[in-house]
């Protein structure tokens, strides 16, 4: 029953009725509630849920029933929640405690190993990242293939995890990055950048891969669902500037005749850990005779080299980033190694 005295609120609201709490990620959850029968004579302005343990709070500003979203929780932790209602007089007593939830467990693999599915776990979400390729003496390297998905697993069964090694400088030609695999799932290594203008003695075209390597007049292709093609400068076989390597979510930079902007393609933005992070950035193209260093793609892509004193950058470790292109002469930066992250 609502309580009125002279049309004014006379009390705090009644306690809300707790609903279902649901873990939605390693650091997030939702808590449903039903508005109390009595609002104390004045419209309820907000509801606040509080976690146990931790005392973390989430608030929603509305009068009626709803769902409160939580962030900032700790992965692999058991929680219950209570909810209070607030009007102009004050805050209600807390509801009963919710059902217990466990936030998702996140495991990161940076080296080859095996993983055994725990009891009760029948599926996992994953982010799989292959290694990036080596940059060429102009073209930036493609990032390793990167994608997310869900894999059915059997409790007690061991699954092999192989992490791709970054493409490295070996012999005459740049090398592609290594593949990363998890059970039946495989991401393909990034394509190497072109070498020596793609024609003539000692030359090599940009390579195909999870994301394609870049060149001067050509570009390698990526694999659908894993990455994108590399870029090229647009001056066919001109010895000035290489395109940017392809990334996990975008093509490598291509600027016809223009050395500026041949950036690596951006990587894939993932929230599997609870925090948005890019993986699989393409390496930037190098250029000769221009004082500008093109940036690698978001997600570990290496910067390209220009004619000044800049150094070609490697792709970042455990991101699948492609190596940056050089300014002529030797090969560019090495590729970044791969990665696997699972959540259950």
């Amino acid at each position: 029953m609502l309580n009125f005295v002279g049309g004014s609120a006379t009390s705090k609201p009644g306690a809300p009725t707790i609903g279902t709490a649901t873990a939605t990620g390693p650091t997030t959850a939702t808590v449903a509630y039903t508005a109390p029968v009595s609002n104390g004579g004045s419209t309820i302005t907000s509801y606040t849920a509080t976690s146990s343990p931790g005392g973390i709070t989430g608030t929603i500003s509305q009068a009626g029933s709803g769902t409160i979203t939580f962030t900032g929780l700790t992965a692999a932790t058991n929680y219950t929640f209570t909810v209070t209602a607030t009007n102009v007089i004050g805050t209600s007593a807390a509801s009963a405690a919710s059902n217990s939830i466990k936030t998702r467990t996140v495991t990161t693999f940076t080296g080859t190993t095996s993983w055994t599915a725990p009891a009760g776990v029948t599926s996992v979400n994953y982010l799989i990242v292959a290694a990036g390729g080596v940059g060429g003496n102009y073209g930036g390297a493609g990032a390793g293939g990167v994608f997310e998905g869900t894999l059915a697993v059997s409790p007690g069964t061991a699954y092999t995890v192989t992490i791709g090694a970054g493409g490295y400088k070996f012999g005459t030609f740049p090398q592609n990055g290594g593949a990363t695999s998890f059970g039946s799932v495989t991401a393909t290594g990034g394509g190497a950048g072109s070498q020596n203008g793609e024609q003539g003695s000692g030359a090599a075209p940009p390579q195909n891969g999870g994301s394609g390597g870049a060149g001067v007049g050509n570009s390698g292709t990526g694999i659908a669902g894993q990455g994108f093609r590399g870029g090229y400068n647009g001056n066919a076989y001109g010895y000035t500037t290489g395109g940017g390597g392809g990334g996990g979510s975008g093509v490598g930079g291509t600027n016809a005749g223009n050395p500026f902007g041949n950036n690596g393609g951006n990587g894939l933005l993932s929230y599997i850990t609870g925090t948005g992070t890019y993986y699989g950035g393409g390496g930037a193209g190098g250029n000769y005779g221009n004082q500008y260093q093109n940036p690698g793609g978001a997600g570990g892509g290496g910067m390209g080299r220009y004619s000044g004193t800049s150094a070609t950058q490697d792709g970042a470790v455990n991101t699948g980033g492609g190596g940056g292109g050089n300014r002529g002469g030797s090969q560019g930066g090495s590729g970044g190694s791969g990665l696997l992250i699972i959540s259950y």
Side-chain angles (χ1 to χ4, degrees):
M1 176 180 294
L2 301 183
N3 299 313
F4 290 93
V5 174
S8 300
T10 61
S11 67
K12 302 171 185 179
T17 300
I18 196 68
T20 300
T22 304
T24 56
T27 61
T28 58
T30 59
V31 180
Y33 66 89
T34 301
V37 173
S38 172
N39 65 6
S42 182
T43 300
I44 293 171
T45 56
S46 65
Y47 294 86
T48 299
T50 302
S51 73
S52 178
I56 300 167
T57 59
T59 300
I60 188 170
S61 297
Q62 62 185 44
S65 304
T67 300
I68 297 172
T69 298
F70 265 85
T71 60
L73 302 175
T74 300
T77 301
N78 294 313
Y79 288 98
T80 59
F81 304 89
T82 57
V83 179
T84 58
T86 299
N87 66 8
V88 293
I89 297 298
T91 298
S92 73
S95 69
S98 72
N99 57 294
S100 178
I101 65 164
K102 184 177 182 179
T103 48
R104 294 181 69 89
T105 297
V106 175
T107 303
T108 300
F109 302 91
T110 59
T112 296
T113 185
S114 65
W115 173 80
T116 300
V121 175
T122 58
S123 69
V124 297
N125 294 337
Y126 63 82
L127 169 76
I128 188 167
V129 185
V134 173
N137 65 348
Y138 283 104
V146 52
F147 58 97
E148 296 179 293
T150 300
L151 180 68
V153 297
S154 298
T157 299
Y159 295 85
T160 299
V161 176
T162 302
I163 303 300
Y168 60 98
K169 303 169 188 178
F170 177 78
T172 304
F173 304 120
Q175 307 294 306
N176 285 10
T180 293
S181 62
F182 171 46
S184 60
V185 179
T186 299
T188 302
S194 68
Q195 186 73 4
N196 289 344
E198 304 154 30
Q199 64 176 3
S201 175
Q207 299 298 300
N208 301 330
S211 282
V216 176
N218 296 301
S219 61
T221 60
I223 295 176
Q226 295 195 25
F228 289 79
R229 67 170 178 80
Y232 60 92
N233 186 47
N235 273 344
Y237 307 116
Y239 285 74
T240 55
T241 304
S249 68
V251 299
T254 297
N255 264 336
N258 182 353
F260 308 117
N262 290 336
N263 306 341
N266 285 333
L268 176 71
L269 177 61
S270 172
Y271 288 87
I272 191 169
T273 64
T275 302
T277 304
Y278 283 93
Y279 301 91
N287 66 77
Y288 187 87
N290 298 283
Q291 303 301 304
Y292 182 81
Q293 190 169 25
N294 294 312
M303 296 180 74
R305 187 182 181 192
Y306 67 93
S307 286
T309 59
S310 71
T312 301
Q313 288 192 345
D314 298 337
V317 173
N318 297 134
T319 66
N326 206 342
R327 53 170 289 279
S330 62
Q331 299 171 30
S334 297
S337 51
L339 180 75
L340 173 71
I341 302 175
I342 62 173
S343 170
Y344 56 88

